[in-house]
Structure formats: C-alpha cells, structure tokens
C-alpha cells in the first residue's frame, strides 16, 4: 500500500506542538537561528519553503544532538509592501490614504495585519517548520518598537544620525525615498539623445548627450573636464537650454568623463546624484522640475516648464520634448543605449533621483569594525565566493537613508519646537519643548523597515532590557538567507549586533542559499507565472516530498531547478523515496517479534558476515551524514542516508536475511532506527510515523526529541565491508551474466567461485545460502576448476566467478548470434579503418570529427574483444 501523507502529517505536527518539543530544552548548550522574518503580508512561495526547510534541517539536527535549539520565528511589518497592499484595497473602494488621513489609515492597516498576518506562519507549520512559536515576534509590536526607538536615540546621541540634503532615490508610485539597496539596478535598452544647446553669443552650438531629456528643464550648467582640449575654449561661455529657455554657464569640473559622448555634460543638480555634487562645488541653483508623483512641475516659482508640459508624466514629457527638439533641428541623433535603470524593489516603478531632505545613518563607523572582524575570521559567509562582494560593499559603504514618507511603520522619534526650533530625539513623546516650553511637532516620516529588522537577533529576545532570553540566546549561531538580502539585512545585523551588543556579533555563520528557478533558469515569480505553490505540492505529495526534493536538489549555495509545469516528475524523487521508506518500514515492522533486543545485548560472536557488514555500513552512514550536516552540505547528508536505506539496507541486507528475520531483528531495528533518526531533519513526518511503530517504543516518546545516533566504533568493521562487498560483487556478476546471455529468470544456474590471492573461500562459504538465493543458483561450488563451458568474471585479488551455461542456453544458437554480431562489427570496423587511413579525410575533416571517429574505433575494438572472449568461453568453433 502506498504511503498517504495527508492524514499523517497534520496529526504528527500537532503531537510535536502538544509535547512542546520546539521549545529549547532547559539544559544543554544553546543553538540559535533567527528566522528571516517574512513580510506580514506574504504568502508562502517556494523560495520561502527552501529557506525555511534548510533552517529546519539544521535546527532539528542540533536539537537531536542535545543542544537547546531555539529557532526564533516572526514577521516583519514591511513598511512599503504592507502600505502598498492596503492602498491597493483602498483604491478598489475608490479611495486614497489621503482621503482617510494618517490615523485612520494606520488603524485600517493594523486591522488588515491582525486579520491576515498569520497566514504565512500557519503555512510554515504545514511544511513542518519546528520554530519556537512561544517566542514569535512582530517588528511592530510594542516591545520591539521600544528597541527600535532606543537604537535611534542612541545613534542620535552618538551623532551617527543626521539630516542630509541631497539627491536620493524617490519612488513616484510609493511616494517615498528609498535606500540605495531598495532602488535595484536593471539593465535596460534605452536611448542616448544627443541634443544641441545654442551658444548665447551666437557662435554655434555645443552637444550634450542624455538618457533622460526631460531633466534638461532643470539644467543649471554644462560641464566639461578642464583637461579636455575640445571643451576648454568654451569654459565661461553661456548656452541657452532649449524648451526651458534659460541661460546657463559652461563650467569646468574634473569629475566629467572625457570619454563619454562629446565631453560636454548637462548638469541637473536636483535630479542626479553626481550632478548634485557638481552643483554643490560650483554653488549652482538646484531647481526641482518634477513633482513627487513623477509629473513635470515646479514649486519654486521659476518658469522653466512650458505650460504644455506642466503636469505631464515624466515619460510622456520625454517623448514630447524629443519631438519638439527634432522639429527645432536641435536633436543631433538618437542612438540605442543599454544602461542601468534603478527600479523600486517593491513596485518596480523607475526610481527618480530627487533632491530632498532625509535622515541618514553614518555607516562607515559601524561597518569598519565588522569588516575587520570578518577579516579576522570572527564569522564566515558561505559559500566563500561571496567574500569579495561583501568586502567591496563594506569598504565602500554609503550612508543609509532611513526615512520613508510612509505612514505604516515606526514613526521617527525626532521632535522640533515650533517656537525655538530646538530639535532632538526622544525615548518618550515629549509634552513640550524642554528648552522653552513651546509646542513640539514630531517628524512625520517613518523609519525604513530594515531599520527595525537589523535589530532582529537581539530585539526579539527583549533588548534593551536585560532578559534571561537575551543572556541565553545571544549571540546566535547560523543565519540562513538568500543572497539578495545580504546587504539589506545581514550586513546591517552584523553592524548593529557589534555596535549595541558589546562587540559581540549576532551569528558565526551566514549560509547563503541559492535561488529557486524554473527549467529555463528564470527566477520563479508571480509576474512571470512560473511559480510553484509549496502548498499545492504538500496537498499532492506531502510535505516530506517537498522537503526532500528541495534539500536533495540544492548543493551548497547553488540554485534549485524545478519544473512548474510538471510537479509529478519534479517531486517524484521525494515521493518515491517516501514510498520506498514506507514499504521497507512495513516489511521490517511486519516481520518483527514483539520483543527485540537492544543492539548492546546482541552477542557479537553470533553475527554473520552480512550482519557485521550492515552494522559497519550504518556507522559509516552516521559518520558521513553528521560530517555533511556540520559542513552545511545538506544534500550530501540526504543522499548518503538515502543510499544507506535504499541500496544497503533494503536491497542487500533485508534481502540477505529474509529467511531469518527473527534472528536478525535486533540488527534490523537498530539500523532502521538509525536511518530514521538521520533522515528525520529532512523528512520529519514519515520518519516520526515509522519510528513510532518500532518495537520497544515508550509512550510519549518522539523522534523529534530523540537523540542523534552516535558512531559505535566497536561496530565499524572494515573487514566485513570488504568481504560482504565481494559477496555482493559475485551476485552482481552472476546477475549480469544472466542478463548478457539472456538466460531465463526461471533457470537456476551452476556457479563456481575460484578464490585466489587474499580472497578466502570461507568468506563465500559463510554466505553460501545468500549467494545461491539472490543469484538464483542451482549450486555453488567453492573449490576445484569449473567444468565445461561457461561465462566468467574476475573480481578482488584475481578471483573468478564462473557460470556454467551448458543446458541453460541453446549454445549453438548463441554461438551463431555471437558470430553474426562479430561479423557485423568487423565490417563496420573495416569501413571505419578505411576512412581513418584516407589522407584526404583525415586532413580535411574538422579535428573533433576525426577524434570522434578514432574514439568510435576504439570502442568497437573493445566490443569486438568482448565478443571474441564470449565465443571462446562458449567453445564455439
Ligand atoms: Zn515603489
Ligand atoms: Zn523651544
């Protein structure tokens, strides 16, 4: 009967919860993982599934090793993402957040979050995650918010937070500033427009090139590199900006790239970060020519924008400006141009560089010590190939824009007196100005979501209070995440941990796993429609099949390839393995006596070669899977335990001991028990279900809380490995001879083993019954020379197994078949040899074609030798 995980898995999960096994045991060395908190609006996708199953494997492994395993779960309030979702729902009602006002909007968002925010948490339970749900946290709950505020005020006091007036990334859809990391680079096919600006003295034109012609309305200079001979004569002259119709100077600035375009660049200080720097150096005007929503417009009273462009969307304005330049003969050329455009990581809108006032954190003082710790080896990022990227980012770290023009989030605790203008950050909301008693106003903005999640490893345990949890669970151990948030989150957690937790880093290892992609290697995403819903997979094949496929398919840091159009095939490995495990379990359990001795009680002198072999293989399996998991090679651990269960235990040992299952019971139970323990982290449900059925199980005992198997050195037996290995080899040889000569499976064969060198007949004598049964023999001789004609194979130290074929096959017919085949091969070889000795073929054909022909010749010759050998051993004339 096939295994049906559907009724089993939820029942088992409930037993684990009821028994409290996910809470760290009171004793034992802690082992801590904090979950990358999913957004509170998230629905589980296959990327989450991969991320969380990896964490679950590690936490279950360490829990079984006796550690006080703490996997801290929770969700992120996700400022922009959540606000976007709620705004979209409002839009469906024909409303905007501005219609309802801040207080009402925040209330509405809380309602939404309270109603739907636990969805992903419940989904994590379905796939078997063993998080400590008693400590679940939310980045906007009261205690966590207090920690965020404390950090802000401390950084303020240390003068690491400042108000910056500069060009930042602005999302015209989300209507907020973004950090560098949130404005993602996308390679885009755009245009480079070459535009003529007439010189005011009437002496001609200069040409500038730009990808964003609409920004020319905000130009306040044209710059050239002072070293560039083409531009030097023009320095100090003036040009008139077409359409904006303003006169601007030509200035010299060393930052101008001489290699780009004509060497003249337009300078738009309010809409370009490097132009802003030029503008500052030359004290240029910095007019904004776009509104926050990305339409053209100005608010400083200048008249740079013609009425027909005012209020027009920036991309519409671009088209119209280009058309007008063309009409006026000022567009020199338009060339296709591949370049990087930044887009909002939340809504994909093209981000607009925009001059603005925002709060920034000075990052260099925070980053420097962490980079030094990394170089000292205080923590590791695996795979190691991320080193250069990480170091580069840390070395060139930019200040962090932490203010967002949103309503959903931690409001910035900066207060300003309306009377004396005193400004300060405060841990509690002040009633009045401490200097003059005047009325105070709080900054309207909220903090970047990541300004709360960067405190996750300690704020979740009660910081800034001195709690027992903080004492016990900080610092943690392993952080498992996707590389996309290495800088958003991981690097910043390292910095905040080091800075606020007494120079103690939050974890020792950062494990960056791969991305789940489809068979065309595209990242799975909702918009591409190539995603896989992990819950669909659970419904079809069970959580274990999902977990097995994800873990076995992902080597350290490599991408996982799944086919969203064929779940059946994609998840077949996991499902087939669960079925196989189930069948082995049913078979083993069905044959066992009610009382089975513990392995320690078994008299080792009574063990057969097969017994000693499987016990030794079990030790190797335990040793190797443990080492793999310690090195984060989860796929290797999964494959090694699979191999043990399927190829060693089921295919050989169970088959070998079938006639004496009663006497082998203790060994079978020991091996199956060890396999279930080792498999448990990857396939927790089916392993628990089978483990519960093993004999001698005490009431209430759970595999999830059981101990990881230890290697018993006394059971390691290299001699048994070698000797039973030979028994297997002999059986395999006889089986392949049977297949090669097409002997009917019903025919019982006669075989002789001629042991030579160190191979001892006693090895085979002990397992005679096994060889005879598994190779379907009539008889097995262990001495003397084989009689008559037959087929043979060599193994070990030159020993031979010879299978008599007389009477088992029609020798005459087999001889005819073999010599026909030989004749055909000889003809083919002759043709090939003719071609290869033909000078004109060898000299004219491409080298790889010739090489392939030579390889073919060699393969055919080998085949010929095999056929000739067979003919000889059958005694064909
Ligand atoms: Zn956006
Ligand atoms: Zn005041």
């Amino acid at each position: 009967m096939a295994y049906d995980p559907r009724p089993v898995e939820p029942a088992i999960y409930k037993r684990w919860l009821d028994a409290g096994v996910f809470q760290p045991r009171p004793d034992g060395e802690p082992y801590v993982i904090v979950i990358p908190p999913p957004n509170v609006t998230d629905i589980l996708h296959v990327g989450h599934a991969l991320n969380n199953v990896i964490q679950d494997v590690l936490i279950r492994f360490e829990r079984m090793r006796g550690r006080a395993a703490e996997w801290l779960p929770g969700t992120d309030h996700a400022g922009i993402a959540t606000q976007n979702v709620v705004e979209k729902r409002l839009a469906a009602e024909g409303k905007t957040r501005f219609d309802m006002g801040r207080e009402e909007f925040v209330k509405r968002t809380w309602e939404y979050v309270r109603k739907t925010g636990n969805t992903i948490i419940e989904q994590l339970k379905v796939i078997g995650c063993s998080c400590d749900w008693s400590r679940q946290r939310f980045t906007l709950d009261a205690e966590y918010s207090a920690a965020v505020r404390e950090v802000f005020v401390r950084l303020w006091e240390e003068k690491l937070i400042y108000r910056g007036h500069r060009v930042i990334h602005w999302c015209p859809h989300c209507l907020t500033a973004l950090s560098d990391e949130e404005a993602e680079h996308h390679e885009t096919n755009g245009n480079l427009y070459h535009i003529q600006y007439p010189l005011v003295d009437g002496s001609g034109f200069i040409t500038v090139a730009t990808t964003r012609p609409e920004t020319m309305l905000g130009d306040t200079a044209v710059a050239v590199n002072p070293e560039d001979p083409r531009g030097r004569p023009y320095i100090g002259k003036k040009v008139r900006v077409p359409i904006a119709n303003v006169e601007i100077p030509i200035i010299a600035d060393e930052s101008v790239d001489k290699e780009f375009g004509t060497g003249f660049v337009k300078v738009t200080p309010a809409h370009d970060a490097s132009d802003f720097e030029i503008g500052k150096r030359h004290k240029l005007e910095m007019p904004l020519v776009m509104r926050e929503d990305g339409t053209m417009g100005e608010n400083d009273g200048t008249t740079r924008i013609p009425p027909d462009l005012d209020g027009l969307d920036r991309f519409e304005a671009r088209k119209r400006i280009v058309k007008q330049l063309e009409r006026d003969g000022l567009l020199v050329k338009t060339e296709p141009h591949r370049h990087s455009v930044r887009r909002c990581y939340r809504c994909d809108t093209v981000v607009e560089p925009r001059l603005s006032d925002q709060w920034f954190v000075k990052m260099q003082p925070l980053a420097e010590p962490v980079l030094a710790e990394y170089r000292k080896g205080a923590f590791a990022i695996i795979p190691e190939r991320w080193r250069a990227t990480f170091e580069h980012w840390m070395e060139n770290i930019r200040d962090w824009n932490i203010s967002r023009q949103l309503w959903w989030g931690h409001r910035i605790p900066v207060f300003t007196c309306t009377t004396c203008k005193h400004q300060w950050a405060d841990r509690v909301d002040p009633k009045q100005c401490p200097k003059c008693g005047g009325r105070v106003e709080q900054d309207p903005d909220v903090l970047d979501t990541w300004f709360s999640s960067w405190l996750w490893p300690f704020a979740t345990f009660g910081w800034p209070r001195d709690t027992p949890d903080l004492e016990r669970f900080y610092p943690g151990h392993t952080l498992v995440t996707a590389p996309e948030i290495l800088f958003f989150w991981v690097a910043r957690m390292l910095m905040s941990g080091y800075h606020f937790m007494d120079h103690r880093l939050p974890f020792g290892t950062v494990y960056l796993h791969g991305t789940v992609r489809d068979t065309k290697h595209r990242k799975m995403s909702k918009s591409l429609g190539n995603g896989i819903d992990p819950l669909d997979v659970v419904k079809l094949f069970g959580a274990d099949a999902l977990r097995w496929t994800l873990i076995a398919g992902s080597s350290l840091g490599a991408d996982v390839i799944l086919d969203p159009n064929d779940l059946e095939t994609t998840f077949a490995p996991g499902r087939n393995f669960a079925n196989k495990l189930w069948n082995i379990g049913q078979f083993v359990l069905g044959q066992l006596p009610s009382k089975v001795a513990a392995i320690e009680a078994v008299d080792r002198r009574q063990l057969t070669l097969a017994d000693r072999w499987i016990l030794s293989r079990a030790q190797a399996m335990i040793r190797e899977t443990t080492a793999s998991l310690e090195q984060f090679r989860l796929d290797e651990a999964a494959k090694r335990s699979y191999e043990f269960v399927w190829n060693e235990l089921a295919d050989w040992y169970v088959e070998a001991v079938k006639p004496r299952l009663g006497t082998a019971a203790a060994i079978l139970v020991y091996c199956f028990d060890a396999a279930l323990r080792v498999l448990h982290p990857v396939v927790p449900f089916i392993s628990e279900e089978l483990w519960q059925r093993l004999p001698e199980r005490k009431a209430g005992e759970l595999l999830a809380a059981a101990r990881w198997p230890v290697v018993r050195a006394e059971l390691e037996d290299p001699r048994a490995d070698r000797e039973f290995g030979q028994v297997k080899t002999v059986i395999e040889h006889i089986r392949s001879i049977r297949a090669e000569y097409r002997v009917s499976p019903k025919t019982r064969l006669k075989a002789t083993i001629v042991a030579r060198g160190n191979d001892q007949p006693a090895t085979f004598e002990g397992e005679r019954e096994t060889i005879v049964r598994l190779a379907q023999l009539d008889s097995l001789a262990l001495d003397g020379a084989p009689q008559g004609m037959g087929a043979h194979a060599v193994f070990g130290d030159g020993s031979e197994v010879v299978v008599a074929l007389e009477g088992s096959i029609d020798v005459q017919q087999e001889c005819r078949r073999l010599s026909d085949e030989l004749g055909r091969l000889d003809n083919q070889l002759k043709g090939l040899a003719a071609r290869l000795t033909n000078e004109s073929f060898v000299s004219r054909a491409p080298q790889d074609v010739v090489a392939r022909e030579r390889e073919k010749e060699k393969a055919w010759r080998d085949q010929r030798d095999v056929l000739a050998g067979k003919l000889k051993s059958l005694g064909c004339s």
Side-chain angles (χ1 to χ4, degrees), residues 120-151:
I120 191 156
I121 295 296
E122 293 308 313
Q123 292 171 326
L124 289 174
K125 295 176 183 174
V126 173
I127 63 168
C129 293
S130 63
C131 303
D132 177 6
W133 303 113
S134 70
R135 288 183 169 83
Q136 187 181 329
R137 301 301 304 270
F138 180 47
T139 54
L140 210 53
D141 67 28
E143 197 182 47
Y144 200 101
S145 300
V148 172
R149 190 152 175 176
E150 177 66 26
V151 160

Coordinates of all heavy atoms in Angstrom, one line a residue, residues 120-151:
I120 N 1.2 33.3 6.7 CA 2.5 32.6 6.4 C 3.0 31.8 7.5 O 3.6 30.7 7.3 CB 3.5 33.6 5.9 CG1 4.7 32.9 5.3 CG2 4.0 34.6 7.0 CD1 5.6 33.6 4.3
I121 N 2.7 32.2 8.7 CA 3.1 31.4 9.9 C 2.4 30.0 9.9 O 3.0 29.0 10.1 CB 2.7 32.2 11.2 CG1 3.5 33.5 11.3 CG2 2.9 31.3 12.5 CD1 5.0 33.3 11.4
E122 N 1.1 30.0 9.6 CA 0.4 28.8 9.5 C 0.9 27.9 8.4 O 1.0 26.7 8.5 CB -1.1 29.0 9.3 CG -1.8 29.7 10.6 CD -1.5 28.9 11.9 OE1 -1.6 27.7 11.9 OE2 -1.1 29.6 12.9
Q123 N 1.4 28.5 7.3 CA 1.9 27.8 6.2 C 3.2 27.2 6.5 O 3.5 26.1 6.1 CB 2.0 28.7 4.9 CG 0.6 29.1 4.4 CD 0.7 30.2 3.4 OE1 1.6 31.0 3.4 NE2 -0.2 30.1 2.4
L124 N 4.0 27.9 7.3 CA 5.3 27.3 7.7 C 5.1 26.0 8.6 O 5.9 25.1 8.5 CB 6.1 28.3 8.6 CG 6.7 29.5 7.8 CD1 7.3 30.5 8.7 CD2 7.7 29.0 6.7
K125 N 4.0 26.0 9.3 CA 3.7 24.8 10.1 C 3.3 23.6 9.2 O 3.7 22.5 9.5 CB 2.5 25.1 11.1 CG 2.9 26.1 12.1 CD 1.7 26.5 13.0 CE 2.2 27.6 14.0 NZ 1.0 28.1 14.8
V126 N 2.6 23.9 8.1 CA 2.2 22.9 7.2 C 3.5 22.2 6.6 O 3.5 21.0 6.4 CB 1.3 23.4 6.1 CG1 1.0 22.4 5.0 CG2 0.0 24.0 6.7
I127 N 4.5 22.9 6.3 CA 5.7 22.3 5.7 C 6.6 21.7 6.8 O 7.7 21.3 6.5 CB 6.4 23.2 4.7 CG1 7.0 24.4 5.4 CG2 5.5 23.6 3.6 CD1 8.0 25.2 4.5
G128 N 6.2 21.8 8.1 CA 6.9 21.1 9.1 C 7.9 21.9 9.9 O 8.7 21.3 10.7
C129 N 8.0 23.2 9.8 CA 9.0 24.0 10.4 C 8.8 23.9 12.0 O 7.7 24.1 12.5 CB 8.8 25.5 10.0 SG 9.3 25.7 8.3
S130 N 9.9 23.7 12.6 CA 9.9 23.4 14.1 C 10.4 24.7 14.8 O 11.3 24.7 15.6 CB 10.7 22.2 14.5 OG 12.1 22.4 14.1
C131 N 9.7 25.8 14.5 CA 10.1 27.1 15.2 C 9.5 27.1 16.6 O 8.6 26.4 16.9 CB 9.4 28.3 14.4 SG 9.8 28.4 12.7
D132 N 10.2 27.9 17.4 CA 9.7 28.0 18.8 C 8.6 29.1 18.8 O 8.8 30.3 19.0 CB 10.9 28.5 19.7 CG 10.4 28.8 21.1 OD1 9.3 28.5 21.4 OD2 11.3 29.3 21.9
W133 N 7.4 28.6 18.5 CA 6.2 29.5 18.4 C 5.9 30.3 19.6 O 5.2 31.3 19.6 CB 5.0 28.7 17.9 CG 5.3 28.0 16.6 CD1 5.3 26.7 16.4 CD2 5.6 28.6 15.3 NE1 5.6 26.4 15.1 CE2 5.8 27.6 14.4 CE3 5.7 29.9 14.9 CZ2 6.1 27.8 13.1 CZ3 6.0 30.2 13.5 CH2 6.2 29.1 12.6
S134 N 6.4 29.8 20.8 CA 6.1 30.5 22.0 C 6.9 31.9 22.1 O 6.6 32.7 22.9 CB 6.5 29.7 23.2 OG 7.9 29.6 23.3
R135 N 7.8 32.0 21.2 CA 8.6 33.3 21.2 C 8.4 34.1 19.9 O 9.2 35.0 19.5 CB 10.1 33.0 21.4 CG 10.4 32.6 22.8 CD 11.9 32.4 23.0 NE 12.3 32.2 24.3 CZ 12.2 31.1 25.0 NH1 11.8 30.0 24.4 NH2 12.6 31.0 26.3
Q136 N 7.3 33.8 19.2 CA 7.0 34.5 17.9 C 7.0 36.0 18.1 O 6.4 36.5 19.0 CB 5.7 34.0 17.3 CG 5.4 34.5 15.9 CD 4.1 34.0 15.4 OE1 3.6 33.0 15.8 NE2 3.4 34.8 14.6
R137 N 7.7 36.8 17.2 CA 7.7 38.2 17.3 C 7.3 38.9 16.0 O 7.2 38.3 14.9 CB 9.2 38.7 17.6 CG 9.7 38.1 18.9 CD 8.9 38.4 20.1 NE 8.7 39.9 20.2 CZ 9.6 40.7 20.9 NH1 10.6 40.1 21.6 NH2 9.4 41.9 21.0
F138 N 6.9 40.2 16.2 CA 6.5 41.1 15.1 C 7.3 42.4 15.2 O 7.4 42.9 16.3 CB 5.0 41.3 15.2 CG 4.4 42.2 14.1 CD1 4.7 41.9 12.7 CD2 3.5 43.2 14.4 CE1 4.2 42.7 11.7 CE2 3.0 44.0 13.4 CZ 3.3 43.8 12.0
T139 N 7.8 42.9 14.1 CA 8.7 44.0 14.2 C 8.0 45.3 14.6 O 8.6 46.3 14.9 CB 9.4 44.3 12.9 OG1 8.5 44.4 11.9 CG2 10.4 43.2 12.6
L140 N 6.7 45.3 14.7 CA 5.9 46.5 15.1 C 5.2 46.3 16.4 O 4.4 47.1 16.8 CB 4.9 46.9 14.0 CG 4.6 48.3 13.8 CD1 5.8 49.2 13.6 CD2 3.7 48.5 12.6
D141 N 5.5 45.1 17.1 CA 4.8 45.0 18.4 C 5.5 46.0 19.4 O 6.6 46.5 19.2 CB 4.8 43.5 18.9 CG 6.1 42.9 19.2 OD1 7.0 43.7 19.6 OD2 6.2 41.7 19.1
A142 N 4.8 46.2 20.6 CA 5.2 47.3 21.4 C 6.6 47.2 21.9 O 7.4 48.1 21.9 CB 4.2 47.4 22.6
E143 N 7.0 46.0 22.4 CA 8.3 45.8 23.0 C 9.4 46.0 21.9 O 10.4 46.6 22.1 CB 8.5 44.4 23.6 CG 9.6 44.3 24.5 CD 9.8 42.9 25.1 OE1 9.7 41.9 24.3 OE2 9.9 42.8 26.3
Y144 N 9.1 45.5 20.7 CA 10.1 45.6 19.6 C 10.3 47.0 19.2 O 11.4 47.5 18.9 CB 9.7 44.7 18.4 CG 10.8 44.4 17.5 CD1 11.4 43.2 17.5 CD2 11.3 45.4 16.6 CE1 12.5 42.9 16.6 CE2 12.4 45.1 15.7 CZ 12.9 43.9 15.8 OH 14.0 43.6 14.9
S145 N 9.1 47.8 19.2 CA 9.2 49.2 18.8 C 10.0 50.0 19.8 O 10.7 50.9 19.4 CB 7.7 49.7 18.8 OG 7.0 49.0 17.8
A146 N 9.9 49.6 21.1 CA 10.8 50.3 22.1 C 12.2 50.1 21.8 O 13.0 51.0 21.9 CB 10.4 49.8 23.4
A147 N 12.6 48.9 21.3 CA 14.0 48.7 20.9 C 14.4 49.5 19.8 O 15.5 50.1 19.7 CB 14.2 47.2 20.6
V148 N 13.6 49.6 18.8 CA 13.9 50.4 17.6 C 14.1 51.9 18.0 O 15.1 52.5 17.6 CB 12.7 50.3 16.6 CG1 12.9 51.3 15.4 CG2 12.6 48.9 16.0
R149 N 13.2 52.4 18.9 CA 13.3 53.7 19.3 C 14.6 54.0 20.1 O 15.3 55.0 19.9 CB 12.1 54.1 20.1 CG 12.0 55.6 20.4 CD 10.6 56.0 20.6 NE 10.5 57.4 21.0 CZ 9.3 58.0 21.1 NH1 8.2 57.3 20.9 NH2 9.2 59.2 21.5
E150 N 15.0 53.0 20.9 CA 16.2 53.1 21.7 C 17.4 53.2 20.8 O 18.3 54.0 21.0 CB 16.3 51.9 22.7 CG 17.5 51.8 23.5 CD 17.6 52.9 24.6 OE1 16.5 53.4 25.0 OE2 18.7 53.3 25.0
V151 N 17.4 52.4 19.8 CA 18.6 52.4 18.9 C 18.7 53.7 18.1 O 19.7 54.3 18.0 CB 18.4 51.2 17.9 CG1 19.3 51.5 16.6 CG2 18.8 49.9 18.5

